[in-house]
Amino acid sequence: MVVVRTHDEAEAARLLAAGGRQRRFARDMAVDLIAARSPAMGSLPIGTRLETLDSEMDGIAAAAAAAVLPGHVDFGIWSGVDRFEYWRQLLAGEGPCGPVLAEASRVVHDQRGALVGAIVVTDMPASEWWAGDPWIPEVFVVSGHQGQGLGGLLVDHAVRACVDGRRRRLGLTVSEGNPARHLYERFGFQPFRATWLIERPALR
């Protein structure tokens, strides 16, 4: 199977009509940092710590997997993906998202020292659709720690750090049906592009 990425609704419809299987439908969203909102955020749960992003690649890859369990809208996206290699490339700045912005990226550890959440912000290179501003390729909170406001605190840190760095815009991608979209909208993120990932048989 070949996975085709498209931002064209008509092309997506043709691929699906030809027997393709939709693997993901998502929205790219961005917030104008000059006009970004700062919704009221609670405090960290007792014993948890917001810390700088370290290089524990194995730990962060395993924690990310624990945040997307069966039944989650994004669970199927990771089928066939080497999570550890993905995270190695992301943290090394080798992928399309660009180098990590350490000042805007953070991890959360619980009282036992386990990594239970993270946000990674990168300096996404300029392209035909992006002006070369910060991007959030990953933000997660592991199952069991969700619903405590950790995701909001991580996004709040990223937004504030980018504002302090005099950056203009911050973007991310969220799958359709992911309730996290409501959190992003609270900060002022607005959709600007649709993305389809569609599986189709390889051409012979």
Side-chain angles (χ1 to χ4, degrees):
M1 299 294 288
V2 175
V3 178
V4 178
R5 178 190 299 268
T6 182
H7 308 289
D8 185 292
E9 185 174 4
E11 181 183 14
R14 288 195 299 271
L15 289 167
L16 293 171
R21 183 178 74 86
Q22 183 168 293
R23 189 163 177 174
R24 186 187 195 192
F25 174 57
R27 302 282 185 181
D28 291 331
M29 305 181 74
V31 58
D32 180 344
L33 293 170
I34 296 174
R37 298 192 289 267
S38 295
M41 292 289 110
S43 56
L44 282 167
I46 295 174
T48 57
R49 306 181 307 278
L50 190 65
E51 300 177 328
T52 57
L53 181 66
D54 55 34
S55 60
E56 294 183 58
M57 186 271 294
D58 289 353
I60 199 169
V68 184
L69 301 178
H72 191 285
V73 66
D74 288 331
F75 181 75
I77 297 170
W78 294 97
S79 176
V81 175
D82 184 333
R83 289 179 182 267
F84 295 97
E85 179 60 15
Y86 165 82
W87 276 94
R88 185 198 68 76
Q89 291 182 2
L90 177 62
L91 297 181
E94 296 177 359
C97 295
V100 172
L101 294 175
E103 65 275 14
S105 302
R106 286 292 183 270
V107 295
V108 178
H109 290 98
D110 67 10
Q111 58 270 30
R112 297 175 289 107
L115 196 159
V116 297
I119 189 164
V120 179
V121 183
T122 63
D123 200 3
M124 176 80 89
S127 65
E128 62 182 12
W129 63 273
W130 190 245
D133 293 304
W135 190 267
I136 301 174
E138 291 293 337
V139 55
F140 68 83
V141 176
V142 304
S143 179
H145 292 267
Q146 297 169 1
Q148 301 178 24
L150 295 180
L153 290 168
L154 288 166
V155 174
D156 186 61
H157 174 85
V159 169
R160 291 177 184 273
C162 290
V163 169
D164 290 345
R166 300 185 182 280
R167 307 306 291 264
R168 181 169 183 83
R169 193 166 66 148
L170 176 63
L172 53 77
T173 301
V174 61
S175 295
E176 194 75 2
N178 188 336
R181 175 171 174 169
H182 301 302
L183 170 64
Y184 306 143
E185 289 174 339
R186 289 173 58 196
F187 285 89
F189 283 85
Q190 295 294 326
F192 68 91
R193 187 176 73 155
T195 298
W196 287 264
L197 293 182
I198 298 173
E199 288 184 352
R200 63 167 178 77
L203 298 177
R204 297 183 178 181

